[in-house]
Amino acid sequence: MSGAVFLSYASQDAAVAKRICDALRACGIEVWFDQSELRGGDAWDAKIRRQIKDCELFVPIISANTQARPEGYFRLEWHLAEQRSHLIARGKPFIVPVTIDGTTDSEALVPDAFLTVQWMRLPAGEATAAFCDRVKSLLGGGPAAGEGRPKQPSNPKSGWGQPASPQKRIPPWLGAVMAGFAAAVALAIWQPWHERAGAPLAEAPTTGVPPATPTSDSRQLVAQARDLFGAPDASRDDYKLAEDLLVQAKAKDPNDAEVWAAIAQLDGMYAARGWDVSDARRDAQQTATRRALRFDPQSFEARFAQAVLLGNGGHEGEEKTKLLRQLRQERPHDRRVLRALATTLGRRGQLEEAIALDDESAALPGGDPLALYNKSLSLWFAGRTAAAEAAMRAAIAQRPFSGALLMIVWYQTVLHGDLAGARATLDQIPAESLREDRGAFFAYYVDYLRRDADAAIGRLWGVPRDWINDSWYSGPKSELVGRALHVAGRADAAVEQWREALKLVEARLAASPDNVRLHYNRMWLLASLGEREEAEREFSLLLQINGIDPARATMVPFWVTEACVVLGRKAEAIQWLTTGLQQKGHAVDFTSFTLRLDPEWDPLRSEPAFQKLITSAEAQENAEGTPSPPARL
């Protein structure tokens, strides 16, 4: 509906919004407004995003009702409109705020972009002829509200609001700089068999060290893009907008190494967060890195992009470490470099130096919550759970962001069995973050442990994809739905979901026949559907691919234990759980709380050896002082 006016309103203001809609339509103005359609669901969400992307004017209706609601779908609409405004030339009208009561711009809880334009006042939604004429003028290319015309009277009853306060007229991208000083919360590239073991944040760009003041149009666009994808809670929409900005920057100066370096770093972050792990994205990252280095081999950003690209094992690990140490010498206080070096060293087993680097970055003026986040996960992988949780809480003390809050949810759940506390923490996380893969899975897992199938499935409803791709869980969303239905005793519905999941897995296997994680998904689904013989063949294939001989091994990856459970190999599963309990210095695969609560272990609950295992795990945790949950956030 290109050329239309998009009305955004709180549900309590629907009647008022309808009056405004009717008045505009009576004047021949096309308006997107459908009061009767059910709000919510994937189709609605996709339609909303498309309309905001295509509309000519975005009209947010601001009132006491929006003030009283710090959360609501209309706030997502406002956020999307603000992000689109970054791509629109200055002076071109797009956002036209309308207030329907005494709410003023100085007190309103609105995005910064709403404060850079003049507001219109329509008491109780009574749209005047002047209002309709003004909208027509804006649709016809007239000057944006607040530009190219004199200030209007401040009397609210006159129908026009006061111009935005001068001190609030800051560029939206600069507001993003101030709002998001830290690096992007990018998850490390997925490691196939750590189904519930996270990875340190990827070596992503950040505004940790302020760049030189941009002097060209292309550099300004690069700076705006970095502000978008460099924020801790950057969303997929932020990434898309950043990508659009970098396309514009490349068009303005295709030979600028800084532009190509930013493109390469963004491509790397797409893969790191699991949002695009395609070969095409990886190839684009490599191409952009090469071009950045060709245009300026000495560019700091180009060489940092090269470090992001390099692998973490063998010779590449040494090369990456050497390059990051050189970059650190050049900019000893660059948080990105300190974190990237810490992550690389941690993966290579140099834990103490890695932790020292994270602490060094966190101690810089202004702090570095992402360094503390990385430190926490490094400690978690080393089995130092109490220190890991303390580091994550220290990160939140510096800046509460969704990634850190989600890890607190995990610690509350796994280390303490504090499901009530975990749910309370989830309530503090923006709904948008809970629609992403990790947020949705963690929220699902808490309710799954509570054996509340409807709540668990509801957590997955907002994910507009059929596949969850995260280091804690990677697989079809329908597999998780089936698990919840199975726990609820709805066997037929669970089977239906699992058969749909199997179709998705086999379709992906057809395109990637060597993907071992997909083979694991297929094995689990076949076993759950009762196709045990075929599931056993997949299990044998997986053992062969990974070079594992359970008869000779003293320890196996945790996925082998989980496979033994679903395949009905109870004695083997208990044996490997017992072995895992005795191991130190590695990521925590299970605790006494997950053994007690997780329905995954239900097939073992009647076994005396399993009950004894839970008691042993509990005694070990008591001895280490880990079970008592700390004060809630």
Side-chain angles (χ1 to χ4, degrees):
M1 198 176 297
S2 180
V5 172
F6 185 105
L7 289 182
S8 177
Y9 59 94
S11 57
Q12 294 90 338
D13 293 327
V16 174
K18 181 66 163 56
R19 284 198 291 273
I20 296 174
C21 172
D22 291 343
L24 291 173
R25 286 175 173 172
C27 296
I29 297 171
E30 192 175 13
V31 182
W32 190 90
F33 180 87
D34 190 348
Q35 190 176 2
S36 63
E37 186 167 356
L38 178 65
R39 298 172 74 103
D42 294 353
W44 171 271
D45 186 78
K47 185 176 182 180
I48 289 289
R49 292 171 184 270
R50 184 173 65 253
Q51 293 292 351
I52 294 175
K53 179 181 178 181
D54 293 343
C55 71
E56 187 70 19
L57 292 180
F58 181 87
V59 179
I61 297 176
I62 301 159
S63 68
N65 289 321
T66 61
Q67 288 291 90
R69 294 184 58 187
E71 292 187 9
Y73 198 93
F74 68 90
R75 292 203 177 275
L76 174 61
E77 296 172 353
W78 292 4
H79 170 74
L80 294 174
E82 181 183 42
Q83 296 308 308
R84 183 185 164 193
S85 72
H86 296 169
L87 304 176
I88 296 176
R90 181 178 177 83
K92 184 182 185 304
F94 175 55
I95 296 175
V96 184
V98 169
T99 180
I100 57 175
D101 52 29
T103 305
T104 64
D105 59 344
S106 62
E107 66 181 350
L109 302 175
V110 296
D112 288 339
F114 290 21
L115 301 173
T116 65
V117 293
Q118 192 162 14
W119 291 23
M120 299 184 183
R121 296 190 180 276
L122 301 178
E126 297 299 330
T128 62
F131 167 75
C132 294
D133 290 343
R134 182 60 186 158
V135 172
K136 279 186 175 181
S137 172
L138 295 176
L139 288 171
E147 294 195 24
R149 59 189 174 86
K151 296 180 181 180
Q152 301 295 331
S154 60
N155 182 1
K157 296 183 180 180
S158 68
W160 300 97
Q162 299 183 51
S165 303
Q167 63 268 26
K168 292 185 178 179
R169 291 182 179 272
I170 58 175
W173 68 268
L174 181 56
V177 174
M178 297 184 290
F181 68 91
V185 180
L187 306 172
I189 296 175
W190 172 65
Q191 302 174 21
W193 304 115
H194 287 280
E195 182 172 349
R196 289 184 188 151
L201 295 178
E203 299 77 41
T206 176
T207 54
V209 174
T213 302
T215 57
S216 67
D217 290 344
S218 64
R219 294 289 177 91
Q220 290 182 35
L221 290 167
V222 168
Q224 294 177 42
R226 288 187 187 281
D227 293 335
L228 284 169
F229 70 75
D233 281 332
S235 66
R236 291 175 192 260
D237 288 329
D238 293 328
Y239 274 37
K240 290 175 183 176
L241 287 168
E243 202 163 23
D244 289 342
L245 289 168
L246 292 176
V247 168
Q248 294 179 49
K250 182 175 64 174
K252 289 180 177 294
D253 191 348
N255 300 322
D256 189 342
E258 302 302 301
V259 173
W260 286 105
I263 292 172
Q265 291 162 6
L266 177 56
D267 284 335
M269 291 179 66
Y270 262 111
R273 293 193 74 163
W275 291 350
D276 187 348
V277 294
S278 65
D279 291 339
R281 179 69 69 174
R282 180 63 65 187
D283 291 344
Q285 181 187 2
Q286 293 175 344
T287 299
T289 301
R290 292 193 194 101
R291 289 182 178 177
L293 290 169
R294 184 172 75 244
F295 288 129
D296 186 356
Q298 301 306 314
S299 164
F300 184 92
E301 294 299 334
R303 287 180 293 139
F304 184 73
Q306 182 183 21
V308 172
L309 182 63
L310 289 172
N312 295 289
H315 173 72
E316 286 185 337
E318 295 176 1
E319 183 180 353
K320 182 173 185 176
T321 302
K322 181 180 178 180
L323 177 55
L324 286 170
R325 289 194 188 279
Q326 291 174 350
L327 293 172
R328 185 193 178 197
Q329 287 182 345
E330 295 176 29
R331 294 187 185 177
H333 301 307
D334 191 309
R335 292 169 173 82
R336 300 171 303 167
V337 174
L338 291 172
R339 287 198 304 271
L341 182 56
T343 299
T344 302
L345 292 175
R347 289 172 178 165
R348 303 186 69 194
Q350 297 169 250
L351 180 62
E352 296 308 320
E353 185 178 359
I355 290 174
L357 286 166
D358 283 329
D359 284 337
E360 179 181 338
S361 187
L364 292 172
D368 187 355
L370 287 177
L372 294 170
Y373 179 102
N374 283 353
K375 174 184 175 181
S376 175
L377 292 184
S378 295
L379 290 166
W380 172 265
F381 296 144
R384 294 160 61 177
T385 58
E389 184 173 15
M392 195 62 69
R393 289 179 178 272
I396 290 173
Q398 286 196 357
R399 178 187 175 95
F401 60 96
S402 294
L405 290 170
L406 283 170
M407 285 308 305
I408 289 297
V409 168
W410 185 255
Y411 293 154
Q412 288 172 314
T413 301
V414 173
L415 297 181
H416 308 299
D418 183 12
L419 302 184
R423 295 193 91 202
T425 303
L426 285 169
D427 289 341
Q428 301 178 40
I429 299 173
E432 185 175 6
S433 296
L434 295 180
R435 285 193 291 267
E436 290 298 344
D437 292 3
R438 173 158 299 185
F441 176 70
F442 276 17
Y444 161 90
Y445 189 60
V446 171
D447 286 325
Y448 179 62
L449 295 191
R450 296 174 59 247
R451 299 177 184 262
D452 186 341
D454 290 337
I457 294 170
R459 298 291 193 176
L460 302 174
W461 174 251
V463 180
R465 297 169 294 281
D466 59 15
W467 198 273
I468 302 291
N469 186 32
D470 187 62
S471 51
W472 262 256
Y473 170 81
S474 180
K477 186 169 65 174
S478 47
E479 177 187 319
L480 298 177
V481 173
R483 291 191 188 209
L485 291 169
H486 179 74
V487 169
R490 295 151 67 181
D492 292 342
V495 167
E496 182 179 349
Q497 289 292 321
W498 286 336
R499 292 206 180 281
E500 288 299 317
L502 186 59
K503 291 178 184 177
L504 293 172
V505 170
E506 291 181 336
R508 292 196 176 208
L509 267 173
S512 303
D514 298 327
N515 188 312
V516 289
R517 187 63 179 85
L518 291 174
H519 281 288
Y520 178 85
N521 290 131
R522 185 170 188 268
M523 181 277 303
W524 192 96
L525 288 165
L526 288 169
S528 298
L529 289 168
E531 301 179 35
R532 194 60 52 89
E533 186 176 343
E534 182 63 21
E536 287 283 0
R537 280 197 290 268
E538 282 282 12
F539 183 51
S540 297
L541 176 62
L542 286 167
L543 293 176
Q544 181 181 350
I545 292 173
N546 288 275
I548 299 171
D549 182 356
R552 297 183 179 182
T554 57
M555 186 177 178
V556 296
F558 191 58
W559 66 264
V560 175
T561 305
E562 295 176 311
C564 287
V565 175
V566 75
L567 290 170
R569 300 181 175 193
K570 298 182 181 181
E572 290 178 68
I574 293 173
Q575 172 195 339
W576 293 125
L577 285 171
T578 303
T579 301
L581 186 63
Q582 298 166 354
Q583 300 296 319
K584 301 292 182 183
H586 65 87
V588 177
D589 292 320
F590 63 89
T591 65
S592 65
F593 297 105
T594 59
L595 292 177
R596 288 185 187 278
L597 298 171
D598 196 330
E600 177 180 21
W601 310 114
D602 285 356
L604 307 180
R605 298 205 185 280
S606 61
E607 302 294 323
F610 182 72
Q611 296 301 323
K612 181 179 179 181
L613 177 67
I614 295 177
T615 302
S616 298
E618 190 174 48
Q620 180 173 304
E621 290 160 0
N622 283 328
E624 294 172 354
T626 58
S628 299
R632 293 181 184 175
L633 295 175

